[in-house]
Amino acid sequence: MPWPVRAIFWVLGLAVAGMVAGAFVVAIALSQAYPNLPDISDLVDYQPKLPLRVYSSEGVLIGEFGEERRTLTPIREIPKVMVDAVLAIEDTRFFEHNGVDYKGILRAALANLGKVKSQGASTITMQVARNVYLSSEKTYTRKIYEVLLTFKLEHLLTKEKILEVYMNQIFLGHRAYGFAAASEVYFGKPLKNITIAEAAMLAGLPKAPSAYNPISNLKRARVRQLHIIDRMEENGFITAEQAEEARNEPLRLRRDRPRENAAHADYVAEMARQLIFDQYGEAAYTKGLNVYTTLKLDEQNVAYKALREGIMAYERRQRFRGPERFVALPTDAQALEDVVDDALAQHPDNGDVLAAVVLEASPKKLVVVRANGDKIEITGQGLKPVESGLAAKAPPQIKIVPGAIIRIIQTGTTWAATQLPEVEGAFVALDPNTGAIRALVGGFDFAKNKFNHVTQAWRQPGSAFKPFIYSAALEKGIVPSTIVNDAPLVYGAGVTGGQPWTPKNYDGRFEGPMTARVAMAKSRNIPAIRILEAATPAFTQQWITRFGFEASKHPAYLTMALGAGSVTPMQMAVGFATFANTGYRITPWLITKITDQRGVALAEYQPKPLAQQQRVIEPRNAFIMDSMLQTVASSGTAARAQATLKRPDLYGKTGTTNDAMDAWFAGFQPNLVAVTWIGYDTPRNLGSRETGGGLSLPIWIQYMQYALKDEPVASYTVPPGVTNANGEWFYTENVESSVRGLGMSDVPLEGGEDAIPTPNAEERKNILDLFRNN
């Protein structure tokens, strides 16, 4: 045999030997690697990390918590158009190959050798192996494990199951894992309602969620979307007509953040999150727990709107503090658009209080532009809140000029310039018979301030605390017709232990003798102090604990009558609920049920019937206090309540603290109690004319007007131990107290120890006449 032929045989022999040796080495490597592959049995019952979801009582999502935004969707519930779009671009032969697409590998190799746009050959099964079990490192060892794991997945799982895992597991940007979550994030709609164009857009994300993200990079996302539509048409998934329609379909992206706050219930969702975390720890964010609350969605939205409108109405009366920022405006249109986009991205909208960049400014007109390019003209009354910033002599930091970033708000069809408020507020509504929280708004905006003022803000209650003082006094023999002298009081240093104290009424005037009922209705301070003195601060301090208040936060001094202690709005709601439900102390509660991701109940809560709750005051005490609080709402400082709502079953008390630092209204209907508070986080004067009746009561009325629209008028049954004499209610044993007087001596004694004389017959008649006239 000639040597050239022998040489060829030698080369072929060596090649075959090398291949055999290589195959032997690979076989050994595979035999060693295969036992070390991860256990994939958990994929048979695939359970990815699922977020904690919080729902209203109607089952509407109000909050979602967890690193991964994900919705587990069985393959049978994933629409065909979504599956087709994914297969068209990721793995057309998915149902034909055994996990490794050899034709695809060859095609990709030829394309890459030919310098055509680089192509990959990873199948969907290989991607599942890589994404679920393996690291992202690019080494030969990891690639071997990937292929082996791919074979293992194909052997143990059905194609449908592998596809289900992929469709739920893949990361698609903006914390969205899986196509169901991505549909909500990018389009704000359920996956079942996806269109061909939208499915093609989502199918383009797995390759590079950041590069092909329609929110971050719409142009690149659009190019990939069109390519996928072409692939769907080429593979027969859609017709030519459907493809053309999809190419021309306008894309409606959700540009705001995913709306777990669509119900404006961020504070409630956060409360629920904290409660669940306390019980389940970190697992709360991965187990897919569903938490159902007592929240009434429609009432919550009304409460949110009412509080914000009340705060913004107050803000319109405040001085303009100046633009939030100034930017230089280029003359080039495209450059101007970029500057506006960048500037407003750093000053996001706050609900209906929108950010805008000023283009033109004069004392008679403002022209501003929004991030979407809309130009808005503001004139007339819309300029009033910022008129000081439009004045010719306005300081530079206050003056509104082109390039200033300001806030605007729309009322009806008109626009007004405004500013983000510094003042805060709180609103909470409870069912007084069960303690269920029906609505809760912990502040003006959760994104701006996550401090929950309903549960965390300890504030002075002011005059809103007087009903609890009067309740204690009823137990000491005071009755609604007790005459109390609204006359000057002086407490010397010997009593106060410091500076002399001369308390005053809100208006600085004194009105002389009046009944306790009238004193309550008019929220007079001096009568309240006299009543507290008669009941004694020590007894009253212990009495208020029956309503849920902490004795340590209400020192046993006469200043308690002016609401100088500390309460939270939630405590006030619980306290007034005791009057509303005839004397029972209820516990506020929020969570009704917790389920796993399949809907199986893990825990449920039902409150005890009211009759089994703790009774803390007698029905007769609650009944008489209700009658006095009804007077407040009909003819006293809260007369606007009954005048507006046109129903007699309203009860409540206004509250304004010393120096007008806090404004309250706490009130109820027999089946609903609600409390509103307005104030600054760092206490400061709200304004000399700002009161609970002017600031907080309108918010309460706006909520109650909606919440009570279908509620029949209710009334209280007269309980045992209560008698009506001369048109007034008394404890039966205290009927004679109708003529008792507090502070009726001509000159108050220093230290407040006023004489309580026994009136003669003529005085008795005059006092009763005074009561009847009031």
Side-chain angles (χ1 to χ4, degrees):
M1 182 181 295
W3 69 267
V5 175
R6 288 200 303 273
I8 291 173
F9 274 105
W10 270 100
V11 171
L12 289 174
L14 289 173
V16 170
M19 292 174 63
V20 171
F24 184 71
V25 171
V26 170
I28 293 175
L30 293 179
S31 66
Q32 294 295 315
Y34 196 85
N36 295 323
L37 292 176
D39 180 18
I40 65 170
S41 59
D42 56 340
L43 282 189
V44 176
D45 184 22
Y46 173 60
Q47 297 296 329
K49 291 181 179 179
L50 297 176
L52 167 68
R53 292 188 172 96
V54 183
Y55 298 89
S56 70
S57 62
E58 300 88 353
V60 176
L61 182 68
I62 62 173
E64 190 174 44
F65 303 92
E67 293 182 3
E68 301 178 0
R69 193 184 304 279
R70 190 195 301 274
T71 301
L72 180 58
T73 309
I75 190 65
R76 65 181 179 276
E77 296 179 13
I78 298 175
K80 184 176 183 299
V81 65
M82 189 70 251
V83 173
D84 290 344
V86 169
L87 294 180
I89 192 63
E90 293 293 335
D91 193 351
T92 308
R93 299 183 63 253
F94 173 73
F95 285 100
E96 301 170 23
H97 60 65
N98 66 346
V100 178
D101 186 3
Y102 301 105
K103 290 183 179 180
I105 292 174
L106 180 61
R107 183 174 60 251
L110 292 175
N112 293 337
L113 285 174
K115 302 301 180 181
V116 181
K117 186 177 180 180
S118 178
Q119 293 185 15
S122 289
T123 65
I124 284 177
T125 312
M126 294 171 75
Q127 291 184 56
V128 170
R130 180 166 60 246
N131 294 333
V132 177
Y133 291 107
L134 301 175
S135 68
S136 59
E137 62 176 345
K138 296 182 178 180
T139 64
Y140 289 112
T141 302
R142 191 203 62 81
K143 195 66 179 176
I144 291 173
Y145 273 100
E146 181 181 311
V147 172
L148 288 175
L149 191 54
T150 296
F151 289 144
K152 189 173 183 179
L153 288 170
E154 288 276 344
H155 177 67
L156 294 179
L157 303 178
T158 66
K159 285 285 189 179
E160 288 74 15
K161 191 65 181 181
I162 293 171
L163 190 58
E164 178 182 288
V165 173
Y166 177 83
M167 300 292 281
N168 283 280
Q169 179 71 25
I170 195 73
F171 176 63
L172 300 172
H174 284 266
R175 289 176 50 221
Y177 286 77
F179 289 95
S183 180
E184 292 285 355
V185 166
Y186 294 109
F187 301 118
K189 63 194 299 186
L191 186 62
K192 64 181 180 181
N193 296 334
I194 209 80
T195 66
I196 294 173
E198 291 166 341
M201 181 67 76
L202 295 181
L205 291 168
K207 182 176 182 179
S210 58
Y212 297 110
N213 186 315
I215 293 177
S216 306
N217 200 329
L218 182 57
K219 291 180 181 179
R220 292 187 66 178
R222 175 65 172 160
V223 170
R224 185 157 177 81
Q225 178 204 34
L226 294 176
H227 173 59
I228 293 173
I229 292 173
D230 292 341
R231 293 278 295 168
M232 294 177 73
E233 182 183 0
E234 290 170 12
N235 286 278
F237 292 133
I238 57 176
T239 65
E241 292 77 13
Q242 289 175 314
E244 186 62 24
E245 184 180 346
R247 293 185 191 101
N248 295 324
E249 180 182 313
L251 206 59
R252 296 178 177 85
L253 292 174
R254 165 175 279 172
R255 293 192 175 276
D256 59 342
R257 66 185 178 93
R259 294 298 301 278
E260 63 263 23
N261 69 331
H264 305 299
D266 302 89
Y267 290 99
V268 177
E270 174 61 16
M271 287 172 65
R273 182 200 68 79
Q274 292 177 16
L275 291 169
I276 298 302
F277 180 80
D278 288 344
Q279 184 172 353
Y280 291 93
E282 291 294 335
Y285 306 133
T286 60
K287 285 184 173 295
L289 298 178
N290 299 304
V291 181
Y292 296 89
T293 68
T294 58
L295 197 75
K296 300 290 185 183
L297 186 62
D298 53 349
E299 292 183 18
Q300 174 68 21
N301 286 331
V302 170
Y304 171 84
K305 183 173 182 286
L307 183 66
R308 284 181 65 95
E309 288 182 358
I311 289 176
M312 290 308 297
Y314 170 80
E315 189 60 41
R316 284 193 291 272
R317 300 192 289 273
Q318 308 311 302
R319 63 178 179 80
F320 181 58
R321 295 181 291 275
E324 296 178 19
R325 183 183 163 199
F326 298 92
V327 295
L329 300 181
T331 55
D332 178 73
Q334 184 58 54
L336 175 62
E337 183 179 320
D338 292 341
V339 167
V340 170
D341 285 346
D342 291 343
L344 296 184
Q346 299 175 46
H347 296 263
D349 294 341
N350 188 296
D352 55 354
V353 185
L354 311 179
V357 176
V358 175
L359 298 179
E360 301 176 30
S362 73
K364 293 187 177 180
K365 184 175 74 171
L366 274 176
V367 178
V368 301
V369 63
R370 295 270 294 129
N372 59 6
D374 289 349
K375 292 182 180 179
I376 297 168
E377 185 174 298
I378 303 172
T379 58
Q381 287 298 308
L383 300 175
K384 189 171 180 60
V386 298
E387 59 185 359
S388 60
L390 296 171
K393 296 183 178 180
Q397 70 274 17
I398 301 296
K399 192 170 181 61
I400 299 176
V401 296
I405 298 177
I406 65 170
R407 297 282 165 167
I408 60 174
I409 191 168
Q410 187 175 23
T411 305
T413 58
T414 63
W415 288 90
T418 186
Q419 59 188 341
L420 281 175
E422 292 182 343
V423 75
E424 272 293 355
F427 181 92
V428 59
L430 305 174
D431 182 330
N433 301 308
T434 66
I437 296 172
R438 290 173 55 163
L440 185 149
V441 188
F444 180 76
D445 182 75
F446 184 77
K448 174 172 169 275
N449 188 350
K450 293 178 172 55
F451 184 78
N452 189 337
H453 296 84
V454 170
T455 59
Q456 296 176 292
W458 289 92
R459 307 294 296 219
Q460 289 189 347
S463 296
F465 202 69
K466 287 174 182 173
F468 306 104
I469 305 298
Y470 279 66
S471 174
L474 290 179
E475 301 303 305
K476 289 292 188 176
I478 305 298
V479 295
S481 58
T482 297
I483 302 301
V484 190
N485 196 9
D486 182 15
L489 277 174
V490 178
Y491 293 91
V495 174
T496 64
Q499 295 295 319
W501 181 42
T502 307
K504 292 180 173 58
N505 291 308
Y506 173 79
D507 58 8
R509 298 183 294 121
F510 301 96
E511 298 186 6
M514 62 180 64
T515 64
R517 179 181 292 276
V518 171
M520 166 79 86
K522 292 186 173 183
S523 196
R524 307 301 289 174
N525 289 340
I526 302 303
I529 294 171
R530 294 187 189 276
I531 286 172
L532 173 59
E533 193 168 25
T536 76
F539 172 80
T540 304
Q541 183 190 43
Q542 293 306 310
W543 182 260
I544 64 172
T545 62
R546 295 168 178 252
F547 298 90
F549 300 111
E550 300 175 28
S552 62
K553 293 188 179 293
H554 300 269
Y557 303 125
L558 293 177
T559 50
M560 194 192 312
L562 307 184
S566 295
V567 300
T568 66
M570 183 66 85
Q571 281 188 333
M572 291 292 280
V574 171
F576 275 81
T578 304
F579 293 135
N581 64 32
T582 73
Y584 293 94
R585 165 88 172 275
I586 51 97
T587 301
W589 61 291
L590 178 65
I591 295 175
T592 61
K593 183 170 68 172
I594 304 170
T595 73
D596 63 15
Q597 73 274 16
R598 297 184 182 90
V600 177
L602 302 177
E604 293 188 63
Y605 175 75
Q606 285 293 332
K608 294 179 181 178
L610 190 61
Q612 296 179 22
Q613 299 285 357
Q614 180 186 10
R615 176 172 285 287
V616 292
I617 63 174
E618 293 184 34
R620 63 180 189 171
N621 187 295
F623 180 84
I624 291 180
M625 287 307 307
D626 291 345
S627 75
M628 296 178 74
L629 292 170
Q630 190 176 36
T631 302
V632 177
S634 62
S635 59
T637 55
R640 183 176 176 182
Q642 287 196 17
T644 303
L645 300 181
K646 309 296 184 186
R647 53 188 302 154
D649 58 341
L650 301 177
Y651 312 77
K653 184 69 186 74
T654 54
T656 309
T657 60
N658 192 33
D659 294 327
M661 292 186 180
D662 301 89
W664 295 82
F665 185 75
F668 58 90
Q669 188 267 355
N671 296 309
L672 182 61
V673 59
V675 173
T676 306
W677 165 84
I678 300 289
Y680 288 98
D681 279 339
T682 300
R684 71 174 193 253
N685 190 283
L686 289 165
S688 59
R689 296 184 179 180
E690 304 293 352
T691 64
L695 273 177
S696 294
L697 178 59
I699 298 168
W700 187 91
I701 290 174
Q702 187 172 340
Y703 169 80
M704 284 293 192
Q705 195 160 32
Y706 177 85
L708 298 178
K709 67 181 188 300
D710 297 321
E711 187 77 20
V713 172
S715 60
Y716 292 107
T717 301
V718 181
V722 173
T723 299
N724 188 285
N726 298 314
E728 183 56 276
W729 299 105
F730 306 89
Y731 286 3
T732 302
E733 68 270 22
N734 289 340
V735 174
E736 290 305 312
S737 296
S738 63
V739 294
R740 186 178 183 190
L742 296 181
M744 296 303 292
S745 58
D746 293 332
V747 182
L749 301 177
E750 186 175 16
E753 297 177 355
D754 303 304
I756 305 177
T758 302
N760 58 35
E762 184 177 357
E763 289 173 330
R764 178 187 176 94
K765 179 179 181 300
N766 291 338
I767 291 170
L768 289 175
D769 287 342
L770 178 63
F771 161 68
R772 294 189 185 98
N773 292 335
N774 283 293

